[in-house]
Amino acid sequence: MAEVTVTQFAEVLKVPVDRLLTQLGEAGIRVGGADDIISEEAKMELLTHLRRAHGRHGEDAAAPRKITLQRKSQQEIKLASTQGRARTVAVEVRRKKTYLNRSVIEEEQRQRQEEVDKQRSVEEIASHEQERAEAERRAAEQRERDRVEADERRLQEEAARLRADADARVAAEQQVRERTERTERERSDAERRAAEPSRASKPARAQESAPSRAAAPGAPTKYGRQELHVSANAKASFKKKQQPAGRYRRSGQVQVEARHGFVEPTAPVRRDVQIPETITVGELANRMAIKANEVIKTMMKMGVMATINQPIDQDTATLVVEEFGHTAIALKEDQLEDQLLATSADIEVLPRPPVVTIMGHVDHGKTSLLDYIRTTKVAAGEAGGITQHIGAYQVQTPKGLITFIDTPGHAAFTAMRARGANVTDIVILVVAADDGVMPQTIEAIQHARAAEVPIIVAVNKIDKHGADPDRVRNDLGKQNVIPEEWGGDVMFVNVSARTGEGIDKLLESILLQAEVLDLKAPTTGLAVGVVLESSIEKGRGPVATVLVKRGTLKAGDPIIAGQEFGRVRALFDALGKQVQAAGPAQPVQVLGLSDAPGAGDDLLVVESERKAREVALYRQGKYRDVRLAGATKKVEDVFSQIGEHAGQFVNLIVKADVQGSAEALRDALSKIGTDEASVKVIASGVGGITESDVSLAAASRARIIGFNVRADGAARSAMKDQGVGVNYYSVIYEALDDVRSWVSGMLKPEIKEQIVGLAEVREVFRSSKFGTVAGCLVTEGVIKRGNPVRVLRENVVIHQGELDSLRRFKDDVGEVRGGTECGIGVVKYNDIRVGDQIECFARFEVARSA
């Protein structure tokens, strides 16, 4: 190789000249300037220096977190114009790819995990210290309680001993008092007998002796005891004898504090009572800690008659609570649900599989594409070859675990597609290369944009004759879905569900998009999920297909889904295998709910079944109030309908195998009809046709539609007895076509008019026998005798009637064709002038369709 200058060598290396000079200086190569010649030995020496420098600093230098590569290429696209000339447009495609350094990310995750473990250990130590302090505090409190109880027992024993001593003293005093009274009576009797000769002086002595006894209270008697001071006229039995001083030793007075469990409150207790939108009288009394009969009495005084189990509204309950002096706290709408969701929060977040929803137009190969991925045959088992349920599957691909949700493409299943887009992370939009963009394709794009999820377009059926993937890209570009190769942000992958071409690239695109989204979810704590589909199966009861969003759903957990509650009895995965737990992004079938929940309802795990029942009853009350409010008509609406002709209805009862199909069928049937005749869905439900459904159909004169369900033996017998009709379907558009034909049969036929011929009046003749006869020239069509006619003057209809006569010369004819002359007489109309036009028309009936 010829020797080159430093400048030329820098251009070859694509580095600045200054940087190259600096590197040469660091390598010890002396160069005078940019124009000096650099030899081969100098180049090798520079290469050795750079390798040595990289080896020395490569380990210490921090690896970049991510590397972004940008490439651009140019290509030409030929566009056809409306004038037929081709036009070539140069398109520059800029592509940017970002590669993440997994080692750096794993090191950061490891450091974060170490910090979490360290924080957790500190929290555990603090928790142990707190538990030890709490145990010591409880032990001290227990010792204090034992000491107080011992003092109380000692005081009670002392009080009992004192009470026994007092009782003994009272008994001894009673005996002394009885002996003293007996001796006094004997002495009195002796004195009375001795004093009978001097009776006159007895009152004086008595008066002297009484004051003397009264004047000397506490004076000792001859028995050596002192008496208490009593009234002189008191009876002897009520006189209290005073205990002699020093006779008995009295101990000090001991006060014993009385203790018991109940202490009468000194002030009224005021409580904060939470009141939902509706509450029963018994529950309200419970929350106020008042007997239910007291609440009922108070409500009767307020003019409200209610029983213990009768629900009352929030305003009435607030007045009752304030009447008892408590504070009413009105719960806002959905506050119980918010509290329920708040208890489900958790902090442990780990990566989870992506949830991918396959959407697109009907018969574009959505289920066939999923079949090839999970190597099963499901599309062949679908009735009519179309998917009519939401199917959720978890597939273990060589690239990783992916959860797929297959949605139906028929127009009636709009709500199902919306639910699929709301629970997904990535939307796979399947478009057939031989069919292009269709109405349900555009609707799927709108659902994905409303849910703000990324789209990956799978151009299917590229192996078929007439497939044009470029046309699909152009059509989607009009819908603002721009491919990456055109500078957009949407990945396009050409696939074939029959041959498997492009499937690996599609899976790689899904996992690459999931890696960019960095999908994570908590794996512990109370689980939260969404009900994709629900049904009632024989032998299993209500079955709900649930996609777990966060947490871990385990067997035995108390759950609530919409208005239904229960406990998880069993869990089954997509293959029908029973499992004990389900983590985030895993679809499972849940058994154990009280009834089939609504598709799209949130499934929550709560701390107790009692809480689940409370929230479920609260939601049922709300739904019942809303339904009653919608069924109640306003007074003005009732008056506005008086005198109006009531339209006819085709009454239907819809029973389907799953909740989503029942919902889609009910909504689609309700849209059929006109003002004169329409469809009225009396009831819809999940499960087989029962005898109660037949009774309801007979009472409401309705017809039963069974979608993928059948009637049991009792229901079939009831159908024969009561004459109720039933139609079974497995494809939704067949049911819609039949119902549409029923409604069309109830519509009155439409009367249409068709102009048969037109004649121009050239002359008017007066006849006493025939009246006014118009001499006419038929200018258009045919004038027929039996058809009605109109008389037009300056293109304005002035008369409508029938032909009285139609003559050609002197002969009566049945019809006169265009270009010939004739005489026309109109029944009971003589004001015909020259220049008028006589229009002949015909009426016919046209069958109407709903």
Side-chain angles (χ1 to χ4, degrees):
M1 180 177 179
E3 294 183 348
V4 295
T5 63
V6 175
T7 303
Q8 293 173 347
F9 189 54
E11 293 177 356
V12 173
L13 295 179
K14 295 182 180 180
V15 296
V17 178
D18 297 336
R19 183 177 178 184
L20 182 58
L21 290 173
T22 303
Q23 292 176 348
L24 289 172
E26 292 175 354
I29 303 173
R30 297 183 176 276
V31 179
D35 297 329
D36 287 356
I37 302 299
I38 183 170
S39 63
E40 291 294 333
E41 292 79 7
K43 294 178 183 178
M44 293 302 297
E45 190 175 354
L46 175 62
L47 178 60
T48 303
H49 167 72
L50 293 178
R51 286 178 176 174
R52 194 164 50 246
H54 289 168
R56 184 176 64 250
H57 300 290
E59 297 180 356
D60 299 336
R65 181 180 178 86
K66 60 182 180 179
I67 299 176
T68 302
L69 301 181
Q70 295 184 353
R71 296 287 187 270
K72 65 178 181 178
S73 60
Q74 293 185 352
Q75 60 183 358
E76 295 182 352
I77 298 176
K78 292 183 179 182
L79 301 178
S81 64
T82 56
Q83 290 80 10
R85 292 176 296 178
R87 189 168 52 135
T88 302
V89 178
V91 178
E92 182 180 272
V93 178
R94 297 179 181 177
R95 181 178 301 170
K96 181 168 68 174
K97 289 189 176 180
T98 301
Y99 299 90
L100 302 179
N101 191 340
R102 293 184 179 273
S103 60
V104 175
I105 295 177
E106 292 175 356
E107 180 64 21
E108 292 179 354
Q109 291 180 350
R110 186 183 62 78
Q111 293 178 359
R112 285 198 298 270
Q113 186 64 32
E114 290 178 356
E115 293 177 358
V116 170
D117 295 340
K118 187 182 298 183
Q119 180 67 22
R120 188 174 298 167
S121 63
V122 171
E123 292 178 355
E124 290 177 355
I125 293 173
S127 176
H128 291 327
E129 289 294 332
Q130 185 176 1
E131 291 177 357
R132 186 178 60 78
E134 182 68 19
E136 292 179 355
R137 184 183 62 80
R138 287 197 295 267
E141 290 179 354
Q142 184 63 33
R143 289 195 297 270
E144 182 65 22
R145 284 195 297 270
D146 295 341
R147 186 184 62 78
V148 171
E149 291 176 358
D151 293 342
E152 289 180 355
R153 285 194 299 270
R154 183 176 57 79
L155 292 175
Q156 290 175 359
E157 292 174 356
E158 183 69 19
R161 187 179 60 79
L162 292 176
R163 283 196 297 272
D165 294 342
D167 294 340
R169 253 192 334 267
V170 170
E173 290 178 358
Q174 181 68 21
Q175 294 176 0
V176 172
R177 189 163 49 249
E178 290 176 355
R179 288 197 301 270
T180 303
E181 289 176 355
R182 188 167 54 252
T183 304
E184 287 291 335
R185 284 197 299 274
E186 292 175 355
R187 185 177 60 81
S188 299
D189 292 341
E191 288 179 354
R192 187 173 60 256
R193 287 193 298 269
E196 282 180 358
S198 56
R199 188 179 295 274
S201 60
K202 183 179 179 181
R205 290 196 304 270
Q207 291 177 0
E208 292 176 0
S209 62
S212 64
R213 289 194 300 269
T221 63
K222 65 179 180 178
Y223 298 102
R225 65 185 284 275
Q226 295 178 345
E227 292 186 356
L228 295 175
H229 172 70
V230 294
S231 174
N233 56 356
K235 293 183 179 180
S237 61
F238 291 99
K239 292 181 180 180
K240 302 296 182 182
K241 306 298 191 249
Q242 188 172 0
Q243 182 180 352
R247 179 76 178 271
Y248 296 100
R249 180 181 176 185
R250 294 191 178 185
S251 62
Q253 190 174 6
V254 179
Q255 295 181 354
V256 179
E257 182 181 0
R259 292 178 179 269
H260 47 74
F262 175 76
V263 179
E264 183 178 359
T266 57
V269 179
R270 299 184 181 274
R271 294 180 174 84
D272 294 336
V273 182
Q274 293 185 349
I275 304 175
E277 292 186 352
T278 58
I279 187 173
T280 62
V281 176
E283 180 65 20
L284 182 62
N286 234 358
R287 297 187 180 187
M288 292 190 297
I290 299 174
K291 291 184 178 180
N293 56 358
E294 296 294 332
V295 178
I296 294 174
K297 288 179 183 178
T298 304
M299 294 180 66
M300 292 176 64
K301 293 178 183 178
M302 296 169 60
V304 179
M305 304 296 294
T307 60
I308 188 171
N309 294 322
Q310 182 174 341
I312 57 177
D313 57 6
Q314 195 176 65
D315 297 335
T316 305
T318 302
L319 294 176
V320 173
V321 170
E322 292 176 351
E323 183 72 18
F324 281 97
H326 300 297
T327 303
I329 301 177
L331 290 180
K332 299 179 180 178
E333 188 177 3
D334 298 335
Q335 186 167 348
L336 282 177
E337 286 86 343
D338 296 341
Q339 294 176 358
L340 205 61
L341 287 173
T343 60
S344 301
D346 198 63
I347 58 174
E348 186 178 359
V349 178
L350 295 176
R352 65 170 177 84
V355 179
V356 180
T357 298
I358 299 180
M359 305 176 71
H361 192 70
V362 62
D363 199 26
H364 273 202
K366 301 180 295 296
T367 307
S368 300
L369 182 64
L370 182 59
D371 288 344
Y372 190 90
I373 295 174
R374 63 193 186 103
T375 63
T376 57
K377 298 295 182 182
V378 173
E382 294 284 356
I386 63 172
T387 300
Q388 305 182 95
H389 306 147
I390 284 185
Y393 316 96
Q394 200 163 39
V395 180
Q396 181 68 50
T397 65
K399 305 289 185 178
L401 194 65
I402 304 175
T403 300
F404 287 98
I405 298 177
D406 185 17
T407 62
H410 193 272
F413 295 96
T414 302
M416 283 192 181
R417 286 192 296 276
R419 280 196 297 272
N422 288 334
V423 300
T424 190
D425 302 318
I426 303 171
V427 169
I428 303 297
L429 182 63
V430 179
V431 184
D434 61 338
D435 202 4
V437 177
M438 301 300 287
Q440 269 65 58
T441 309
I442 300 175
E443 182 185 325
I445 295 172
Q446 295 172 352
H447 287 317
R449 287 176 176 169
E452 298 181 354
V453 294
I455 299 175
I456 298 176
V457 179
V459 183
N460 196 16
K461 301 183 182 180
I462 60 173
D463 57 320
K464 293 188 66 175
H465 179 70
D468 190 0
D470 293 335
R471 182 169 69 92
V472 173
R473 286 170 168 79
N474 291 331
D475 294 344
L476 289 175
K478 298 176 183 178
Q479 303 297 329
N480 201 20
V481 180
I482 310 299
E484 281 187 342
E485 54 265 27
W486 290 6
D489 57 351
V490 180
M491 288 187 285
F492 277 68
V493 182
N494 296 336
V495 298
S496 173
R498 189 174 64 87
T499 63
E501 181 182 354
I503 298 297
D504 292 338
K505 186 177 180 181
L506 178 62
L507 295 177
E508 184 180 353
S509 301
I510 293 172
L511 293 174
L512 178 61
Q513 186 68 50
E515 187 176 355
V516 173
L517 293 176
D518 192 20
L519 302 173
K520 293 183 179 180
T523 58
T524 58
L526 300 179
V528 177
V530 60
V531 178
L532 298 179
E533 197 59 272
S534 64
S535 62
I536 297 179
E537 300 181 7
K538 187 174 182 180
R540 302 175 74 187
V543 179
T545 302
V546 177
L547 178 67
V548 181
K549 297 169 66 177
R550 62 180 182 182
T552 301
L553 182 63
K554 299 182 291 295
D557 286 344
I559 55 176
I560 177 172
Q563 302 177 29
E564 311 304 331
F565 67 95
R567 188 178 292 274
V568 178
R569 205 155 38 88
L571 295 173
F572 297 91
D573 60 7
L575 301 178
K577 181 182 178 183
Q578 186 171 358
V579 295
Q580 295 299 320
Q586 182 177 355
V588 287
Q589 285 186 332
V590 179
L591 276 66
L593 286 168
S594 57
D595 201 352
D601 290 341
D602 289 331
L603 183 136
L604 306 174
V605 175
V606 294
E607 62 270 13
S608 63
E609 195 169 355
R610 179 178 176 274
K611 184 69 174 179
R613 182 184 292 105
E614 178 185 354
V615 178
L617 294 177
Y618 171 71
R619 290 178 176 177
Q620 290 174 8
K622 284 177 55 179
Y623 174 75
R624 184 169 54 250
D625 295 342
V626 171
R627 186 179 57 184
L628 292 176
T632 305
K633 295 183 178 180
K634 297 181 180 180
V635 178
E636 54 266 24
D637 293 339
V638 175
F639 281 108
S640 65
Q641 293 179 359
I642 294 178
E644 294 184 1
H645 178 68
Q648 298 180 353
F649 294 98
V650 175
N651 295 330
L652 298 175
I653 294 177
V654 177
K655 295 301 290 290
D657 54 344
V658 294
Q659 188 73 31
S661 297
E663 176 186 354
L665 195 58
R666 182 182 66 246
D667 295 342
L669 291 175
S670 301
K671 297 177 182 178
I672 298 176
T674 61
D675 295 337
E676 296 183 13
S678 59
V679 176
K680 186 176 182 181
V681 180
I682 302 297
S684 65
V686 178
I689 301 172
T690 60
E691 189 175 2
S692 61
D693 297 329
V694 178
S695 302
L696 177 60
S700 58
R701 297 181 180 179
R703 194 171 186 86
I704 300 177
I705 289 182
F707 190 78
N708 289 331
V709 295
R710 295 295 182 268
D712 54 16
R716 288 195 295 269
S717 301
M719 289 177 190
K720 294 179 182 178
D721 297 339
Q722 303 183 23
V724 175
V726 61
N727 291 77
Y728 299 115
Y729 300 97
S730 58
V731 181
I732 189 169
Y733 50 77
E734 294 180 358
L736 299 180
D737 293 341
D738 287 353
V739 175
R740 193 174 288 110
S741 64
W742 299 342
V743 176
S744 300
M746 299 178 64
L747 297 175
K748 295 180 179 179
E750 184 179 359
I751 305 298
K752 289 190 176 182
E753 296 181 355
Q754 183 178 3
I755 298 176
V756 178
L758 185 65
E760 183 179 353
V761 179
R762 298 293 180 88
E763 191 66 43
V764 178
F765 304 97
R766 308 289 180 180
S767 171
S768 58
K769 182 178 179 180
F770 298 105
T772 302
V773 179
C776 304
L777 174 65
V778 180
T779 58
E780 297 178 8
V782 180
I783 303 297
K784 295 184 178 181
R785 178 184 292 274
N787 291 358
V789 296
R790 295 190 183 95
V791 180
L792 284 70
R793 184 170 296 164
E794 296 180 357
N795 294 324
V796 177
V797 178
I798 60 175
H799 178 72
Q800 180 174 332
E802 298 178 357
L803 287 179
D804 188 17
S805 61
L806 179 63
R807 289 184 172 233
R808 172 86 172 130
F809 299 108
K810 293 184 179 181
D811 299 329
D812 290 335
V813 294
E815 63 180 26
V816 180
R817 296 189 175 275
T820 57
E821 296 179 347
C822 63
I824 298 176
V826 182
V827 177
K828 296 181 181 181
Y829 187 73
N830 297 321
D831 188 18
I832 298 180
R833 302 177 186 178
V834 177
D836 291 349
Q837 292 179 330
I838 298 178
E839 180 183 78
C840 180
F841 62 94
R843 293 189 179 97
F844 57 94
E845 295 181 352
V846 178
R848 298 169 60 188
S849 60

